[in-house]
Amino acid sequence: MSSYSSSNGRFRSRLSRKKWGAPVVAGGALGLILLVTVVSKVFWGGGDTDLDLPPPRKTGTQHDLPDPSQPHYPGAGSSTTLSAVDELFERQSQTLEQAAARYRLKTDRNPPRGYDKWFEYAREKRCLVDDYDQIYRDFAPFYQLADKRESEKNAEKFFPQMVKAVGALIHEENIGMRTFTMQEHRLGTADEWTSNYDELWNTTLTQLGPSLPDFKLIINHRDEPRIAFDVRALSPEVAFKPEDKAPFRNAPKPTSKFYTDDGHCLVPNDPRGFLTWANGASSFLLYSASADFTTDLYPVLSQSKIYPCFSDILFPSPFHYKRSSSHPKYSKPDNVGWAKKRSVLYWRGQSTGGWIYGENYRSFPRFRLIDIAREPKNAGLMDVAITAFYTWFCQLEGCDGEKISKEYNITGENAPREEVYNYKYVLDVDGNAFSGRYLGLLASGSLVFKSTLFTEYFHDWLQPFEHYIPVRPDLSDLAERVRWAKAHDEEARRIQKAGKEFVDRVMTDAQNDCYFYLVLLEWARLHAGGH
Ligand SMILES: *[C@@H]1O[C@H](CO)[C@@H](O)[C@H](O)[C@H]1NC(C)=O
Ligand SMILES: *[C@@H]1O[C@H](CO)[C@@H](O)[C@H](O)[C@H]1NC(C)=O
């Protein structure tokens, strides 16, 4: 019944666990074909491939012809007016050779072992084949270190060494992370902890098991990123000799000191930079609900991170799987036509964000949202409310929960998730970390306004102004953007439709599986000491 019960659940179970720190793709087809031809020559000529691929075709011209034996992607070639999603599917590699060549062009490496099976899987499941730049970026530092180490004789391999180290920590105590092992295609674990998402990960990994190489996987099951390591500062000394004396146990109180005062994570309030820092508007950076980070480059899979100060390896969150109980599902499809929706921005949610200390909550985005909506000049623009106050975060000295609840009119009244159908504009805004509702909101019939500091794995795919309206972390441009939408209804509708089409057709459970699967292949190669 409660529309936010899932985030409630994830949060509570986290608290109940033991220790809780007290309070592009390439464009021109012809150019690509030429490139592919050249690159695949290099590729096939190379001797150090760890990919078992069939020999290349005899003629180079076959690349530009659709292969009738391949599954037909939705909408592909069906009409002259292709949607952006049709075009996205159309430009995906049609053959393994083409996909491998594109992979190599982007990464300067051969695809990992098992890529041929992955390619078949991706085609069969109608997944994207080429657009995995986020994966390449996330693994790039580890590959660079692996390459560097390769030249040092007898040096212990960085990646497996770090997996071993963090695995030992997890074995000792509950640090909000889990291990999964794959051995001869059988799933296991090396720890005894549990997480809310075990069932989803267990099912997914078991299903993929027959195609997966051996590995030991480290998954951070908290929503917050954990690897507070900026790879732009990567130097061999730092990375090779872990220096963090309390990895995954760093929880400065408040966290703002570490991120802001000590300069470990200064994030501009606007992607174009130069205006102000967003640090003062992020509850996570101000006083994290859950910090427990490390300052060394451990390989860990996480659901979100803040660029560029975190180096977690991203993978799909359980909040993005329809088959997961965490998915923000609607009980019925949108039954309110666009013209009947109110031209008002709607938001409901809990007071999650971080530890309340002094007046800092006024800077947390969810409280800030209420303040902005109440400004006289914004009257009638927004219908927003905090539905529940998280008393857990109100334990530090001086926090008066009653006073805050009264001030922000937190009545405990919940609203069904389907309420969004009555509004043209909906907001997605950070809680303790990313909200988990984003894809759900995009799938509703409303236009999504998104304000976040967190990057999720689909960051490159869902584009600002094309699929959603971006809003600064401090929400200072929110009212202005809502006014724009009201004044440009057709444009607003176009963005809403594009966002919904993308989510309905691309962001499928199968696509999540394809992404996770490719992450696992990269992980397995590095874990086996490859580079
Ligand atoms: C996965 O689920 C199966 C069936 O419930 C269970 O027997 C197995 O122990 C689980 N594996 C892991 C690694 O959690
Ligand atoms: C407080 O919330 C109630 C219930 O949602 C609503 O009826 C009332 O108008 C709100 N008051 C203010 C001052 O926002």
Side-chain angles (χ1 to χ4, degrees):
M1 181 242 132
S2 148
S3 47
Y4 307 115
S5 57
S6 59
S7 76
N8 195 354
R10 80 178 141 150
F11 186 58
R12 235 187 241 132
S13 81
R14 205 158 61 204
L15 295 178
S16 69
R17 279 189 294 274
K18 204 164 68 182
K19 170 145 184 209
W20 172 258
V24 222
V25 177
L30 183 62
L32 197 55
I33 291 158
L34 290 174
L35 249 177
V36 164
T37 314
V38 171
V39 173
S40 58
K41 281 222 178 78
V42 175
F43 176 71
W44 297 113
D48 65 338
T49 173
D50 49 6
L51 175 70
D52 198 13
L53 292 172
R57 308 218 172 156
K58 286 274 152 43
T59 61
T61 52
Q62 288 188 11
H63 289 304
D64 52 354
L65 297 171
D67 182 345
S69 71
Q70 294 298 330
H72 199 62
Y73 277 80
S78 56
S79 84
T80 46
T81 53
L82 293 184
S83 74
V85 172
D86 291 328
E87 279 169 14
L88 175 66
F89 280 126
E90 282 236 312
R91 68 170 191 252
Q92 299 302 307
S93 289
Q94 303 289 314
T95 65
L96 176 59
E97 293 84 347
Q98 191 179 23
R102 288 179 180 180
Y103 178 101
R104 211 170 197 287
L105 174 64
K106 285 179 176 179
T107 64
D108 228 4
R109 288 188 301 278
N110 292 325
R113 189 177 299 280
Y115 185 79
D116 46 353
K117 271 197 178 164
W118 175 87
F119 172 82
E120 276 171 34
Y121 182 91
R123 294 284 298 173
E124 187 195 317
K125 302 280 180 181
R126 305 185 165 205
C127 292
L128 300 178
V129 175
D130 305 313
D131 292 56
Y132 295 94
D133 300 36
Q134 184 72 50
I135 297 182
Y136 309 152
R137 284 199 298 277
D138 288 351
F139 279 99
F142 296 105
Y143 278 112
Q144 284 169 18
L145 284 167
D147 285 343
K148 211 165 160 53
R149 275 245 158 142
E150 193 55 26
S151 56
E152 297 170 28
K153 257 202 162 154
N154 302 323
E156 203 180 339
K157 310 266 189 190
F158 180 75
F159 196 93
Q161 180 194 338
M162 295 301 266
V163 168
K164 199 167 137 193
V166 64
L169 290 172
I170 295 170
H171 188 73
E172 271 168 37
E173 60 176 321
N174 190 352
I175 50 174
M177 301 209 275
R178 290 228 53 190
T179 57
F180 285 101
T181 55
M182 190 59 69
Q183 224 172 351
E184 290 172 0
H185 311 295
R186 295 252 299 275
L187 182 68
T189 180
D191 66 67
E192 54 186 33
W193 312 114
T194 57
S195 84
N196 284 353
Y197 313 132
D198 288 351
E199 196 188 331
L200 175 74
W201 290 329
N202 187 326
T203 321
T204 309
L205 289 166
T206 302
Q207 271 167 15
L208 295 174
S211 311
L212 293 174
D214 288 359
F215 56 73
K216 179 176 188 174
L217 190 67
I218 311 291
I219 295 187
N220 162 29
H221 61 75
R222 292 190 188 157
D223 304 341
E224 294 87 352
R226 310 292 293 277
I227 313 298
F229 183 94
D230 186 345
V231 291
R232 296 177 309 174
L234 191 61
S235 81
E237 295 73 32
V238 173
F240 285 174
K241 289 194 195 70
E243 290 177 334
D244 188 349
K245 295 281 191 293
F248 307 104
R249 279 289 172 229
N250 290 287
K253 299 175 177 62
T255 34
S256 56
K257 177 152 176 44
F258 174 78
Y259 295 121
T260 309
D261 306 358
D262 302 343
H264 287 285
C265 187
L266 291 164
V267 193
N269 188 40
D270 185 292
R272 294 159 295 190
F274 298 115
L275 296 176
T276 45
W277 298 118
N279 291 62
S282 164
S283 36
F284 173 81
L285 294 178
L286 284 169
Y287 212 141
S288 302
S290 162
D292 292 343
F293 55 77
T294 177
T295 52
D296 281 325
L297 184 61
Y298 286 92
V300 170
L301 299 192
S302 292
Q303 302 164 53
S304 73
K305 64 176 162 185
I306 294 177
Y307 182 82
C309 18
F310 283 84
S311 295
D312 304 60
I313 297 163
L314 295 178
F315 79 129
S317 159
F319 287 84
H320 306 325
Y321 277 94
K322 292 188 186 71
R323 66 171 182 261
S324 155
S325 54
S326 307
H327 190 271
K329 294 177 187 72
Y330 299 103
S331 61
K332 58 172 199 267
D334 183 8
N335 54 358
V336 184
W338 181 259
K340 289 227 168 89
K341 293 180 195 290
R342 294 178 59 200
S343 299
V344 166
L345 182 95
Y346 177 84
W347 182 84
R348 290 292 182 279
Q350 298 175 350
S351 68
T352 46
W355 290 96
I356 293 177
Y357 182 66
E359 301 263 295
N360 73 345
Y361 59 93
R362 294 183 192 283
S363 306
F364 294 0
R366 295 181 171 196
F367 288 91
R368 200 180 273 254
L369 170 66
I370 307 300
D371 285 337
I372 290 172
R374 281 177 175 173
E375 285 173 30
K377 66 174 169 34
N378 296 333
L381 215 52
M382 308 177 199
D383 179 345
V384 299
I386 296 177
T387 53
F389 183 69
Y390 248 112
T391 48
W392 178 263
F393 290 143
C394 190
Q395 294 182 40
L396 302 179
E397 214 186 310
C399 181
D400 185 342
E402 257 175 54
K403 181 178 152 260
I404 298 171
S405 292
K406 208 162 160 211
E407 188 185 347
Y408 283 90
N409 197 21
I410 303 175
T411 59
E413 224 172 277
N414 226 328
R417 204 190 297 280
E418 293 73 22
E419 266 295 292
V420 299
Y421 297 162
N422 294 315
Y423 298 84
K424 278 188 181 169
Y425 320 128
V426 292
L427 178 69
D428 185 55
V429 63
D430 293 342
N432 296 339
F434 70 102
S435 83
R437 262 187 256 168
Y438 181 44
L439 298 187
L441 290 175
L442 281 169
S444 79
S446 310
L447 172 62
V448 179
F449 290 67
K450 185 173 176 65
S451 167
T452 187
L453 228 54
F454 293 91
T455 302
E456 292 166 78
Y457 77 98
F458 46 67
H459 183 82
D460 291 344
W461 298 348
L462 286 157
Q463 288 296 307
F465 305 112
E466 190 182 335
H467 302 111
Y468 69 95
I469 307 278
V471 176
R472 283 187 200 129
D474 70 358
L475 305 174
S476 57
D477 55 350
L478 175 62
E480 188 188 314
R481 296 225 189 271
V482 175
R483 282 195 194 92
W484 177 89
K486 284 181 74 162
H488 303 88
D489 194 59
E490 242 176 76
E491 280 291 291
R493 176 80 164 130
R494 196 182 51 74
I495 297 172
Q496 178 269 321
K497 278 183 169 167
K500 179 163 171 55
E501 185 189 3
F502 196 95
V503 162
D504 288 347
R505 291 180 56 193
V506 183
M507 305 305 299
T508 59
D509 279 8
Q511 180 59 68
N512 287 331
D513 289 339
C514 287
Y515 191 101
F516 193 12
Y517 185 172
L518 190 55
V519 165
L520 293 169
L521 294 184
E522 302 285 1
W523 181 289
R525 168 160 61 184
L526 282 158
H527 191 221
H531 60 109

